[in-house]
């Protein structure tokens, strides 16, 4: 398999910078997800790994070998796209077999490898069908099998689940993660869906405006965001961010007072806390406000609380109910609070 290194990678079209100063080492067999909003540079970065885009500056290495001047077809990577890119006039068997035919693999070996790849994605019973006769999830699995059968050094996946409904996306996430672990193939995956990133990745690379904002494991990204952008992008609902003033270790904003914060900083800051890191009621509440909305979901209840002019989201007990406009107090888990500079959005340590 492959170790992939990007050093000083930049991509520019005229005066527009698509990607700026990307540096990352992707370990052999690692599953790395590039995550960010549309236009952040994640797909362009992956296309430079594939050889479909040429870096304006910087170097792409695979297993220590410089790839900048190596054609895409010679990089031994397999791509899976958002559009399934299956040949409509071919059966699923022929679609999966196509890369083997192009490589001149003996026919007897072709059949074995096609059936092995089809079994991995649970498509053995559908090999004689054409793509139009399959569901979206089955077609995406066929595209994945076609990538598997090549036995590449790396998988490159560009938002492969975007066309599927929520239930199919969940099923395909499980399947992709299982197959990647079984085959032990280095995988680079691009998505704007933070649930996909959190559930699939060994490490997440969060990008915005062509720049890497943070690299870390899903737990590191979620529990220790480096900026308000990361804090607000990860989580459903995302982290609550409340602007106020910090002085002498006390944070104050309309409806908020949090004492004994261990940060040697004074001035305007943003206090961050996850919806699950607070409790309605408690012995020493730090937030007070009125109930603005309630969303029961079965296993938990989401409460929107208006504190001052700010709406904050709270995850609470499944049985919680209250009238809109009721006053409530909230206690925060001070061990999990984050503070950010109000002007730059960077984390205060």
């Amino acid at each position: 398999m492959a170790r992939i290194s990007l050093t000083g990678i930049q991509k520019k079209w005229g005066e527009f910078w698509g990607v700026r100063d990307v540096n990352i080492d992707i370990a052999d067999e690692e599953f790395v997800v590039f995550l960010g909003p549309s236009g952040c540079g994640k797909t362009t970065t992956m296309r430079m790994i594939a050889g479909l885009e040429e870096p304006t500056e910087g170097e792409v290495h695979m297993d220590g070998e410089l790839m900048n001047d190596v054609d895409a077809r010679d990089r031994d990577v397999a791509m899976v796209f958002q559009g399934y890119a299956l040949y409509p006039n071919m059966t699923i068997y022929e679609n999966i077999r196509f890369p083997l035919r192009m490589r001149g693999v003996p026919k007897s070996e072709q059949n074995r490898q096609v059936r092995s790849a089809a079994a991995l994605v649970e498509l053995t019973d559908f090999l004689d069908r054409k793509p139009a006769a399959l569901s979206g999830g089955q077609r995406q699995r066929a595209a994945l099998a076609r990538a598997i059968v090549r036995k590449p050094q790396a998988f490159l996946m560009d938002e492969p689940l975007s066309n599927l409904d929520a239930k199919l996306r969940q099923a395909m996430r499980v399947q992709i993660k299982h197959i990647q672990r079984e085959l032990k193939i280095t995988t680079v995956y691009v998505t704007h869906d933070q649930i996909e990133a959190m559930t699939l990745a060994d490490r997440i690379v969060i990008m915005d405006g062509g720049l890497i904002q943070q690299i870390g494991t899903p737990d590191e990204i979620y529990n220790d965001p480096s900026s308000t952008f990361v804090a607000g992008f990860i989580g459903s609902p995302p982290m609550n961010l409340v602007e106020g003033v910090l002085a002498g270790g006390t944070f104050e904003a309309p409806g908020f007072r949090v004492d004994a914060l261990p940060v040697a900083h004074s001035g305007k800051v943003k206090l961050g806390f996850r919806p699950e890191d607070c409790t309605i009621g408690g012995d020493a509440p730090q937030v007070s406000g009125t109930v603005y909305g309630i969303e029961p979901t079965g296993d938990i209840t989401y409460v929107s609380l208006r504190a001052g002019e700010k709406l904050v989201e709270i995850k609470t007990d499944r049985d919680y109910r209250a009238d809109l406009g009721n006053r409530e107090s909230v206690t925060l888990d001070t061990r999990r609070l984050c503070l950010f500079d109000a002007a730059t959005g960077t984390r205060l340590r």
Side-chain angles (χ1 to χ4, degrees), residues 219-267:
D219 285 342
E220 289 168 346
I221 295 288
Y222 189 84
N223 295 320
D224 193 20
S226 63
S227 66
T228 52
F229 174 81
V230 176
F233 197 81
I234 289 287
S236 182
M239 180 177 281
N240 294 296
L241 296 169
V242 180
E243 186 165 341
V245 175
L246 181 65
T250 296
F251 172 86
E252 288 189 285
F256 289 79
R257 181 183 173 89
V258 185
D259 295 315
L261 292 171
V263 177
H265 182 89
S266 295

Side-chain angles (χ1 to χ4, degrees), residues 292-336:
Y292 185 82
I294 296 180
E295 298 176 283
T297 64
D299 57 337
I300 58 173
T301 301
Y302 293 97
V303 179
S304 298
L305 190 78
R306 181 176 289 283
E309 295 300 313
K310 181 69 177 177
L311 274 181
V312 296
E313 299 296 326
I314 300 164
K315 289 183 182 179
T316 191
D317 186 81
R318 63 194 296 175
D319 297 321
Y320 175 86
R321 298 293 184 271
D323 293 330
L324 300 187
N326 274 17
R327 290 206 64 82
E328 289 284 15
S329 58
V330 175
T331 301
L332 306 180
D333 184 346
T334 54
R335 299 167 302 172
R336 295 186 176 275

Side-chain angles (χ1 to χ4, degrees), residues 39-341:
C40 72
K42 56 189 186 295
T43 295
T44 300
T45 301
M46 191 190 73
R47 286 173 62 84
M48 287 189 281
I49 295 172
L52 300 175
E53 295 279 359
E54 184 178 344
T56 305
E57 296 180 31
E59 297 180 344
V60 178
H61 288 85
M62 290 188 184
D63 286 335
E65 181 182 351
L66 182 63
M67 291 283 113
N68 288 45
D69 296 326
V70 177
D71 289 340
R73 65 176 179 271
D74 297 323
R75 295 196 183 192
D76 195 19
V77 298
M79 295 195 70
V80 181
F81 298 96
Q82 177 180 351
Y84 318 117
L86 300 172
Y87 296 105
N89 60 320
M90 293 183 182
T91 64
I92 296 304
Y93 181 95
E94 291 296 333
N95 267 283
I96 297 173
R97 187 172 74 131
F98 188 79
L100 302 177
R101 287 175 54 200
M102 294 297 99
R103 292 186 171 192
V105 174
K107 285 189 176 180
S108 59
E109 184 64 13
Q110 289 178 21
N111 183 65
R112 186 192 68 78
Q113 292 189 31
V114 168
R115 293 191 177 279
S116 175
L120 272 175
V121 298
E122 301 177 6
L123 279 181
T124 302
D125 295 336
F126 302 92
L127 290 174
D128 60 343
R129 298 190 188 184
K130 291 186 177 179
L134 269 59
S135 69
Q138 290 168 333
R139 277 179 277 179
Q140 194 57 272
R141 281 187 276 154
L144 186 58
R146 187 176 57 189
I148 290 169
V149 82
R150 289 187 52 194
K151 297 180 180 176
Q153 289 194 79
F155 287 139
L156 305 180
M157 302 188 182
D158 188 8
E159 305 210 37
L161 308 185
S162 295
N163 290 337
L164 307 182
D165 62 36
K167 187 175 180 180
L168 274 176
R169 282 202 302 272
Q170 192 276 334
M172 283 297 298
R173 287 199 304 266
V174 172
Q175 201 151 31
I176 287 172
K177 187 71 170 279
H178 177 79
I179 289 169
Q180 194 269 343
R181 288 291 186 266
E182 189 168 330
L183 298 178
K184 298 180 180 179
I185 292 180
T186 307
T187 300
V188 177
Y189 190 104
V190 165
T191 184
H192 63 272
D193 186 327
Q194 50 105 0
I195 298 298
E196 285 181 22
M198 293 291 289
T199 55
L200 287 172
D202 294 322
R203 283 192 299 160
I204 299 172
V205 180
I206 296 188
M207 296 187 69
D208 185 46
L211 295 166
I212 291 178
Q213 302 296 315
Q214 187 172 355
I215 302 174
T217 67
D219 285 342
E220 289 168 346
I221 295 288
Y222 189 84
N223 295 320
D224 193 20
S226 63
S227 66
T228 52
F229 174 81
V230 176
F233 197 81
I234 289 287
S236 182
M239 180 177 281
N240 294 296
L241 296 169
V242 180
E243 186 165 341
V245 175
L246 181 65
T250 296
F251 172 86
E252 288 189 285
F256 289 79
R257 181 183 173 89
V258 185
D259 295 315
L261 292 171
V263 177
H265 182 89
S266 295
K268 289 186 177 180
V269 299
K270 288 187 178 180
L271 177 74
F273 60 95
R274 296 283 181 195
E276 65 271 22
D277 293 333
C278 47
T279 305
I280 293 179
D283 296 331
Q286 298 120 320
V287 185
S288 62
T290 58
V291 176
Y292 185 82
I294 296 180
E295 298 176 283
T297 64
D299 57 337
I300 58 173
T301 301
Y302 293 97
V303 179
S304 298
L305 190 78
R306 181 176 289 283
E309 295 300 313
K310 181 69 177 177
L311 274 181
V312 296
E313 299 296 326
I314 300 164
K315 289 183 182 179
T316 191
D317 186 81
R318 63 194 296 175
D319 297 321
Y320 175 86
R321 298 293 184 271
D323 293 330
L324 300 187
N326 274 17
R327 290 206 64 82
E328 289 284 15
S329 58
V330 175
T331 301
L332 306 180
D333 184 346
T334 54
R335 299 167 302 172
R336 295 186 176 275
L337 297 181
C338 299
L339 286 169
F340 304 91
D341 185 278

